[in-house]
Amino acid sequence: MPPLDDKTEAMVRGLPDPEGARHFYERLVAEHPRASRLISKDPALLADALALAAWSPLLGTTLLQSPEYLPWLARERGTPAARVRETEELYESLARFALTHTALDAQVLLARFRRRELLRVYLRDLRRTATIVETTEELSNLADAALQFALGRARQELENLYGAPQREDERGRKTAAEFTVVALGKLGSRELNYSSDIDLLFLYSDDGETTDKGERGQTTNREFFCRLAERVARAVGHQTGEGAAYRVDLRLRPHGRDGAPAVSLAEALRYYRTQAHRWELQALIRARASAGSPALFARFGEGVRESVYRRDETVARALANVRLAKRKIDREHGPRGRGHNVKLGRGGIREIEFIAQALQLAYGGRDAWLQHAPHTLVSLGRLAERALITERERAALSDAYTFLRTLEHRLQMEHGLQTHTVPEDAPRRTLVARRMHFEGDDALAHFDRELDSHTSRVRAAFDRVFGDEDDGDGAGDRDDAAGDTAAASSVVESVAERTEDAAWGAAAAVFAARAPGAGDADAVAGLLMREARASLNAQRAQSLVTRVAASLEKSGAGVAPDESQLVELVRVCGASELFGGMLASDPSLISALATDPEAARARDHRAELRAAVDS
């Protein structure tokens, strides 16, 4: 491979990862001569491609796999557009993309479209021509567009089969029943990360029946809309060989994992008024309509408002409930790997969010202005306006939010993983610092000082709002947390209470019940935790292994993993989000994990593939 020319070498030397950018350029020249000629004639496009590769090996690989995105990227740079692309514009782009990729399944189509759009969004992000608010809003709009597309396609397919769902109004007239996709969490507040889960709740307006014009005849509205919810979630969240567009989390729906995929408006209102836990109501602070009927969501939002924002709420009780919710999350999802966790760690993003949400709950029942501020930065501004936090605290928390969310994005976009942990080893940490635009020989020291300064100020504000209490678990906390998990099965609950982490306990109970030879649930939990700590990423291992266990429990697959397969399962999940997701979508693959390496190398894959195709 000839050396880079002087201009290209100068571009590469100024990047945070020169070696990665150089390797990307050499591969592009060797594997895609046409694309390399294009960028050689366009210095600005060359600079953009090298920057994407240096800041995100994931997107560098995307360009190598799909070099046709380079001329698209060049056209995008020359197209005048608003700073943030609205959902409607992104939906139109997705529809055009679908017209030119008609052979693709919906899951692959949406995953590819999202990856292409990330090239444009992340380029503006790393160039710092977009603020963190603009970036997360556009990522949220992109998810909305994908959900709207999936919803439109799935509804048309189901109406062809069963007819259109109907409702009967107060005069006895038949009209169309409505459906809405409610976004919660970061998508709900338009603060979506590059690698966030999307928390969804599916609502339909009325029970009834479909028309009789479908191929398969009538069905109930409930059956129709449950099928619709499942199809939308599968189109957006199903793992394929190219990954999923998003990880879809439906656990915040009424009754959690035991609940129906879609619920009627009346059923949802009854649940949130009479049965929901305080942390479930807290989640509704950031609810909005992501796709479907805005009018239906408006009725839902108005119906739950008094349950979320209670006029008789006391400040002490609101703060206690939110602090309990944070402790519960810390116990169940706390970081297990090495390095600082910018989301869940001390002084992290979660503490900023919970400061804002706790004060909204404490005072929102008597001050409607505080109710309409789902975005964290907006709510902090309104809380300062009401003197519920000081102006100094607002500035410190807002600055910390911007710094920590940007850092979270740099960590996630390295390889597209849902990670929040800053690496401990100096070379990798220095690379993170440079991607955060810290320069010079003291880049790492400057970055560490900034990180420590922001987290210290967040923790000071958190302690001031909630009281400087010890984070250890008290007996009362355990009793309340146990009440929050009462819907879980008794075997999972009893194991979870005896293990270090409830999520590991739940997974261990599933594996132990299916493979008694692997040991009892406590022994399996110990094995899983030990192997996770020895894996490449303990937090990722925990997240994916628990997803695999939940999928295995639902699927009924005849899989009985032994100890060696469990060890390999944790190792693979700790190493790869992609392969962990494949195992979660098809738990029967667990049996292949302990294949003897020599036997695997001896297999004739070409012959096996040919035999499978021929049959």
Side-chain angles (χ1 to χ4, degrees), residues 9-327:
E9 184 61 41
M11 289 182 186
V12 165
R13 282 199 300 269
L15 296 171
D17 182 13
E19 192 55 40
R22 192 176 291 111
H23 179 64
F24 162 81
Y25 182 79
E26 290 171 350
R27 281 194 59 189
L28 186 70
V29 170
E31 299 172 15
H32 304 290
R34 185 176 177 181
S36 66
R37 288 194 297 271
L38 172 66
I39 63 174
S40 67
K41 298 175 183 177
D42 188 343
L45 181 60
L46 172 60
D48 287 347
L50 292 173
L52 286 168
W55 261 271
S56 173
L58 169 74
L59 295 182
T61 300
T62 298
L63 289 174
L64 291 171
Q65 292 174 339
S66 304
E68 67 273 15
Y69 291 165
L70 283 167
W72 172 82
L73 198 60
R75 291 193 300 272
E76 287 295 308
R77 192 193 324 108
T79 301
R83 289 182 63 79
V84 175
R85 296 205 176 172
E86 299 298 330
T87 301
E88 292 73 17
E89 184 180 0
L90 290 166
Y91 179 86
E92 291 172 2
S93 295
L94 174 53
R96 290 192 297 271
F97 189 82
L99 287 175
T100 58
H101 297 80
T102 54
L104 296 180
D105 291 338
Q107 296 96 324
V108 177
L109 175 76
L110 293 174
R112 287 190 185 179
F113 177 75
R114 175 180 172 273
R115 182 71 65 84
R116 189 193 73 171
E117 291 299 311
L118 290 186
L119 293 167
R120 176 181 56 79
V121 175
Y122 198 53
L123 187 61
R124 293 179 60 225
D125 185 354
L126 65 89
R127 296 290 195 206
R128 294 188 286 187
T129 59
T131 66
I132 192 68
V133 172
E134 291 169 332
T135 296
T136 55
E137 182 178 349
E138 188 153 3
L139 291 173
S140 302
N141 292 345
L142 180 58
D144 287 354
L147 287 165
Q148 288 185 17
F149 183 88
L151 175 58
R153 177 175 286 192
R155 182 155 188 163
Q156 185 60 60
E157 292 170 350
L158 287 172
E159 288 188 359
N160 291 341
L161 293 174
Y162 303 106
Q166 303 174 99
R167 61 179 292 270
E168 189 172 294
D169 66 16
E170 58 276 3
R171 296 184 181 180
R173 296 175 300 186
K174 297 283 189 179
T175 59
E178 296 175 290
F179 182 82
T180 190
V181 181
V182 180
L184 304 168
K186 282 186 167 60
L187 179 57
S189 58
R190 299 188 185 276
E191 298 175 83
L192 199 65
N193 289 335
Y194 288 100
S195 293
S196 289
D197 291 353
I198 55 174
D199 298 294
L200 302 178
L201 164 63
F202 298 104
L203 292 177
Y204 62 93
S205 59
D206 302 270
D207 287 313
E209 290 185 328
T210 63
T211 62
D212 57 359
K213 296 180 180 180
E215 297 173 12
R216 299 182 184 176
Q218 282 185 308
T219 188
T220 64
N221 284 0
R222 182 178 183 85
E223 180 68 18
F224 180 97
F225 286 121
C226 283
R227 289 177 184 269
L228 180 59
E230 289 169 347
R231 288 197 179 204
V232 171
R234 185 165 58 248
V236 175
H238 180 68
Q239 287 284 343
T240 68
E242 300 187 36
Y246 297 94
R247 286 178 299 274
V248 176
D249 193 337
L250 304 180
R251 291 176 296 176
L252 290 178
R253 67 185 186 268
H255 304 291
R257 286 191 173 122
D258 296 328
V263 296
S264 70
L265 175 63
E267 183 181 355
L269 293 179
R270 185 165 56 250
Y271 177 83
Y272 285 111
R273 289 169 179 168
T274 63
Q275 295 177 257
H277 299 289
R278 290 303 300 164
W279 60 266
E280 292 179 281
L281 295 169
Q282 181 184 340
L284 296 181
I285 291 176
R286 304 200 286 186
R288 67 177 178 86
S290 184
S293 169
L296 176 58
F297 173 77
R299 291 164 60 195
F300 170 73
E302 194 58 39
V304 299
R305 188 174 307 282
E306 291 186 1
S307 299
V308 177
Y309 299 103
R310 298 180 179 178
R311 295 187 63 83
D312 61 349
E313 183 67 282
T314 67
V315 175
R317 186 167 60 231
L319 296 180
N321 285 333
V322 174
R323 189 175 184 104
L324 175 60
K326 183 178 184 301
R327 285 178 173 174

Side-chain angles (χ1 to χ4, degrees), residues 378-454:
V378 174
S379 62
L380 291 174
R382 294 194 177 189
L383 293 169
E385 290 272 346
R386 292 293 195 253
L388 300 174
I389 59 174
T390 67
E391 187 58 37
R392 183 187 295 272
E393 286 173 330
R394 184 206 63 78
L397 292 171
S398 298
D399 289 347
Y401 175 91
T402 300
F403 180 88
L404 294 173
R405 289 301 304 274
T406 303
L407 174 55
E408 185 179 46
H409 286 176
R410 298 297 178 262
L411 296 170
Q412 292 180 345
M413 284 305 289
E414 181 175 21
H415 297 299
L417 302 177
Q418 191 183 30
T419 182
H420 312 279
T421 303
V422 183
E424 283 194 323
D425 60 283
R428 291 180 61 209
R429 196 178 180 95
T430 300
L431 180 57
V432 171
R434 294 190 183 283
R435 286 175 175 155
M436 286 289 290
H437 296 282
F438 292 95
E439 300 176 349
D441 295 337
D442 61 346
L444 179 56
H446 189 189
F447 165 75
D448 284 339
R449 286 195 298 272
E450 282 286 297
L451 178 60
D452 181 66
S453 174
H454 285 300

Side-chain angles (χ1 to χ4, degrees), residues 482-501:
D484 285 342
T485 58
S489 66
S490 59
V491 62
V492 170
E493 183 173 334
S494 63
V495 172
E497 291 173 350
R498 297 197 307 271
T499 55
E500 178 184 353
D501 183 276

